[in-house]
Amino acid sequence: MAPGHYFWAIFYFACLCSASLANNAKVNFREKEKKILDQILGAGKYDARIRPSGINGTDGPAIVRINLFVRSIMTISDIKMEYSVQLTFREQWLDERLKFDDIGGRLKYLTLTEANRVWMPDLFFSNEKEGHFHNIIMPNVYIRIFPYGSVLYSIRISLTLACPMNLKLYPLDRQVCSLRMASYGWTTADLVFLWKEGDPVQVVKNLHLPRFTLEKFLTDYCNSKTNTGEYSCLKVDLLFKREFSYYLIQIYIPCCMLVIVSWVSFWLDQGAVPARVSLGVTTLLTMATQTSGINASLPPVSYTKAIDVWTGVCLTFVFGALLEFALVNYASRSADRAADIQRENMKKKRREMEQVSLDAASDLLDTDSNATFAMKPLVRHPGDPMAMEKLRQCEVHMQPPKRPNCCRTWWSRFPTSPLKKVPCFGRGQCSRSKRIDVISRITFPLVFALFNLVYWSTYLFREEEED
């Protein structure tokens, strides 16, 4: 073949290639999408009221797979027993009526923003209190239709869901809040919900909550039977652990400090009545206010919570310190009255002894008319009532020694001093009030330490059992 013929053949082949490329470049895929949508969703071709067929075109139930992406958890309310969550909710199912030609793999999927154009599962959140869609700037929803008829529905929603709580271990508790999704009208004979294989629930990284920590989440099924049939149901359980450091700083440490401050009155003098009364009443009112503030942030429940035990015992200790001062004051005043009575008795006995001494002297010294005196013998004559009375007054009664009392011996070990510099008559009446203070200084801290040991051991052990 001549060289000129080769040149023209190559030129003709190049023109054919350029024409083919030009035709391909002129293909408008958006126009193709419109034609395909009109073809598969046109009037009389697709009815959104009819559910898709089952697996492999059978009359079995339509299978819908669910996937969730938890974007944020806003609040967890103990009073209302609810929590707020924002999530991206996805459903995927197969509808063979929506198959289309993908133009040799160049058209991956079709996108819709109108959910009413295709059949949709009638899913609802069974424990929902409030909810809303997001429409800024455009509605946050889309539908993708794949060439083989698979439909993916995705929407962003915010929900407020009920979360029944058990507050017996509050604030050392863990709470399980559920998210339940079920079919409203289609029974399991027509519609079945399944979790997406692999990773059905995702949670955003670095999820921070003010007073809780999301420990883990579990997916499960919760099909329910009613008078109208059995309905498919899915649930995801979110396990929240309450952050204890907040309550340690805001509740437990302040309560301990109030209890310790109430013990300062044991070291004050019994005569400092205004100081001890003011200290006791102030700590009692502060503790009562603290308890009221704690209960205001919790729902009224019929059982006793761990925080109720703590505040109740702390309030009892503060109240006991105030009662202890009342007892000390009463013992001090009783000692004063006893000292006054003993002092009056001593004065009275002293006057009687002086009178007896004068009478005895007058009897011993008897003068006659001749200015002589006679000495009467100091002999007791039988039947002489005056002699018997004088002898009784001069007798010294010897009592047998008593056995040592263990409690009294232990009581006397405490170093005490009388409240006033007056003679202590009786058996330790002057130091009784001081001894009450000394014993309280030891007893109150020991009992409170024992309560702390029992409290933390009990509730931390119960928390581990629940885990």
Side-chain angles (χ1 to χ4, degrees):
M1 183 179 291
H5 291 154
Y6 281 110
F7 172 78
W8 288 109
I10 295 172
F11 178 76
Y12 179 73
F13 180 75
C15 291
L16 289 177
C17 291
S18 62
S20 178
L21 292 174
N23 290 333
N24 290 337
K26 292 180 181 179
V27 174
N28 189 339
F29 287 98
R30 304 290 79 79
E31 187 68 25
K32 289 288 185 180
E33 290 182 9
K34 178 182 179 303
K35 290 181 179 180
I36 293 173
L37 288 174
D38 292 339
Q39 181 182 354
I40 63 177
L41 298 177
K45 296 183 179 180
Y46 183 87
D47 194 344
R49 298 173 297 177
I50 307 301
R51 72 170 180 86
S53 58
I55 299 176
N56 297 326
T58 62
D59 195 32
I63 305 299
V64 179
R65 299 190 180 275
I66 306 297
N67 169 240
L68 298 177
F69 176 65
V70 180
R71 292 182 173 273
S72 64
I73 298 175
M74 279 76 76
T75 57
I76 302 176
S77 176
D78 297 319
I79 299 178
K80 297 181 179 180
M81 291 195 177
E82 64 184 20
Y83 71 105
S84 300
V85 61
Q86 182 186 127
L87 50 88
T88 297
F89 173 75
R90 304 186 186 99
E91 296 176 306
Q92 192 164 8
W93 66 93
L94 181 63
D95 193 342
E96 295 182 352
R97 298 173 295 175
L98 299 176
K99 289 183 178 180
F100 62 90
D101 183 14
D102 59 354
I103 315 177
R106 301 174 67 181
L107 189 60
K108 295 182 178 180
Y109 53 80
L110 303 174
T111 302
L112 294 177
T113 56
E114 300 174 357
N116 58 354
R117 296 288 300 276
V118 297
W119 176 86
M120 294 289 298
D122 59 344
L123 180 141
F124 77 105
F125 297 92
S126 58
N127 60 333
E128 174 206 353
K129 287 186 175 182
E130 294 179 359
H132 67 274
F133 302 124
H134 293 266
N135 297 318
I136 300 176
I137 300 175
M138 293 293 291
N140 299 163
V141 58
Y142 69 82
I143 298 175
R144 289 178 181 175
I145 303 175
F146 294 88
Y148 53 91
S150 178
V151 181
L152 173 63
Y153 174 75
S154 176
I155 187 171
R156 187 166 72 100
I157 54 179
S158 292
L159 299 170
T160 300
L161 303 165
C163 179
M165 299 181 181
N166 186 353
L167 300 174
K168 289 184 178 180
L169 298 181
Y170 177 91
L172 301 168
D173 58 333
R174 285 178 168 85
Q175 301 299 335
V176 178
C177 295
S178 298
L179 175 64
R180 294 174 176 266
M181 299 161 287
S183 173
Y184 189 81
W186 299 96
T187 63
T188 52
D190 298 312
L191 179 62
V192 173
F193 291 118
L194 297 177
W195 286 111
K196 184 181 178 181
E197 297 178 357
D199 194 7
V201 178
Q202 300 95 33
V203 180
V204 66
K205 295 182 179 179
N206 300 324
L207 179 63
H208 296 289
L209 299 174
R211 288 184 295 173
F212 287 89
T213 299
L214 179 61
E215 288 193 327
K216 59 183 178 179
F217 53 88
L218 304 172
T219 57
D220 201 357
Y221 296 90
C222 54
N223 292 4
S224 59
K225 291 183 178 180
T226 64
N227 293 333
T228 56
E230 183 179 359
Y231 297 90
S232 181
C233 175
L234 301 178
K235 73 171 182 177
V236 53
D237 293 330
L238 304 174
L239 179 59
F240 296 103
K241 180 182 179 182
R242 198 181 299 272
E243 288 290 345
F244 180 69
S245 58
Y246 168 81
Y247 300 92
L248 180 65
I249 297 173
Q250 297 294 328
I251 296 177
Y252 284 92
I253 292 180
C255 289
C256 284
M257 294 174 65
L258 287 174
V259 172
I260 295 173
V261 167
S262 68
W263 298 342
V264 175
S265 64
F266 304 153
W267 300 86
L268 298 179
D269 189 77
Q270 293 93 336
V273 176
R276 298 188 68 164
V277 170
S278 300
L279 183 62
V281 172
T282 302
T283 52
L284 183 63
L285 292 177
T286 307
M287 191 66 214
T289 304
Q290 180 85 348
T291 304
S292 301
I294 296 170
N295 293 330
S297 61
L298 294 173
V301 293
S302 58
Y303 48 82
T304 302
K305 303 180 289 294
I307 196 66
D308 294 335
V309 176
W310 175 264
T311 55
V313 172
C314 290
L315 189 63
T316 303
F317 270 94
V318 174
F319 183 68
L322 186 60
L323 291 183
E324 188 271 349
F325 170 66
L327 180 62
V328 167
N329 188 263
Y330 175 77
S332 177
R333 288 186 288 108
S334 298
D336 292 342
R337 287 196 299 268
D340 293 339
I341 294 174
Q342 292 291 345
R343 190 181 298 107
E344 293 296 330
N345 291 337
M346 286 294 294
K347 291 180 179 180
K348 184 177 180 181
K349 288 181 179 180
R350 190 177 296 109
R351 288 194 298 268
E352 290 178 354
M353 292 177 64
E354 292 176 354
Q355 185 64 32
V356 169
S357 300
L358 293 175
D359 293 342
S362 62
D363 291 340
L364 293 175
L365 185 61
D366 188 11
T367 56
D368 55 2
S369 57
N370 295 325
T372 62
F373 62 91
M375 183 73 70
K376 292 187 177 181
L378 293 174
V379 179
R380 180 171 61 88
H381 299 282
D384 188 357
M386 286 296 296
M388 292 292 294
E389 182 65 23
K390 294 173 183 177
L391 184 61
R392 188 178 297 111
Q393 292 177 355
C394 295
E395 284 182 351
V396 178
H397 300 279
M398 301 297 295
Q399 296 181 355
K402 294 184 178 181
R403 295 181 180 179
N405 192 331
C406 297
C407 296
R408 187 167 296 162
T409 303
W410 175 79
W411 183 275
S412 61
R413 291 178 182 177
F414 294 101
T416 59
S417 58
L419 191 63
K420 296 180 180 179
K421 294 184 178 180
V422 297
C424 288
F425 305 100
R427 296 185 179 181
Q429 290 179 349
C430 293
S431 60
R432 186 180 303 168
S433 60
K434 184 66 176 179
R435 283 173 176 168
I436 294 174
D437 271 345
V438 173
I439 293 176
S440 299
R441 296 172 191 173
I442 302 173
T443 304
F444 273 74
L446 287 179
V447 175
F448 190 68
L450 179 62
F451 161 71
N452 274 270
L453 178 63
V454 174
Y455 179 86
W456 296 113
S457 301
T458 301
Y459 284 102
L460 291 179
F461 180 72
R462 288 179 61 182
E463 184 184 8
E464 292 178 358
E465 281 188 345
E466 287 195 355
D467 293 344

